[in-house]
Amino acid sequence: MAEILYKYALREKKEIDPSLCIKWLSKEELHVFNNHLELCGQSVIGNTLWDEIFEEGTRYAGLFIDSKMVARACVEKYSDEAWEVADVRVAREFRNHGFAYNVCAYVLEYILENNRIPTIRTEEDNYPMQKVISKLGFAAI
């Protein structure tokens, strides 16, 4: 299945639900990230990979409900001009509550604050994520 690449088409601040707890993960929070991976049915990662992620400049944001990280997105700094909203995941039982939109909007704001061109991509058959991408103001390129 092919991926579709999107470029941010707007420059307006996105509303993030102020009642949600969204924050950047620190290097010391591998256990929080691994708990989220397990919640999403994914394999946990080790310290070496986590350290490499931080060394590359990738930053993960997590959305927390009752102290549990239920959604994530990261910023991948792949060039001096453009950074990507990437690795978006919401645990299955927490979907359809706007969490993907909110965690992506949080990462998007960080990219805009750093004066980079935001991009995002998803599979051509991932219609729920395409709706989030459109609502955020991205357009296919």
Side-chain angles (χ1 to χ4, degrees):
M1 193 62 51
E3 284 187 328
I4 303 170
L5 177 64
Y6 300 82
K7 183 176 172 185
Y8 191 58
L10 305 173
R11 277 289 188 208
E12 60 190 39
K13 188 167 178 61
K14 295 296 167 194
E15 292 298 319
I16 299 171
D17 184 339
S19 71
L20 295 174
C21 175
I22 305 172
K23 70 177 190 93
W24 294 106
L25 296 183
S26 72
K27 198 169 182 181
E28 291 73 37
E29 293 181 292
L30 173 58
H31 65 286
V32 174
F33 188 74
N34 276 335
N35 287 342
H36 176 71
L37 289 173
E38 289 178 327
L39 187 63
C40 291
Q42 297 176 287
S43 300
V44 299
I45 64 171
N47 288 319
T48 302
L49 179 54
W50 187 242
D51 290 345
E52 288 172 6
I53 288 168
F54 271 84
E55 287 169 19
E56 292 170 353
T58 299
R59 295 187 66 192
Y60 273 93
L63 186 149
F64 293 79
I65 302 294
D66 297 327
S67 301
K68 181 193 305 186
M69 191 166 109
V70 300
R72 75 175 188 259
C74 74
V75 56
E76 289 185 359
K77 302 173 182 180
Y78 63 86
S79 82
D80 289 338
E81 296 84 26
W83 292 353
E84 185 167 318
V85 179
D87 197 18
V88 180
R89 294 274 192 271
V90 178
R92 186 168 305 281
E93 61 267 28
F94 294 92
R95 292 180 182 168
N96 301 310
H97 297 287
F99 296 156
Y101 171 85
N102 279 275
V103 75
C104 287
Y106 186 85
V107 173
L108 173 61
E109 287 303 316
Y110 173 78
I111 294 170
L112 292 172
E113 287 168 4
N114 282 276
N115 298 311
R116 298 305 191 272
I117 300 165
T119 63
I120 194 168
R121 68 183 73 226
T122 194
E123 299 291 330
E124 64 184 4
D125 66 346
N126 188 344
Y127 304 114
M129 190 61 199
Q130 288 175 20
K131 287 169 78 173
V132 169
I133 289 168
S134 176
K135 187 175 177 184
L136 286 166
F138 286 86
I141 55 174

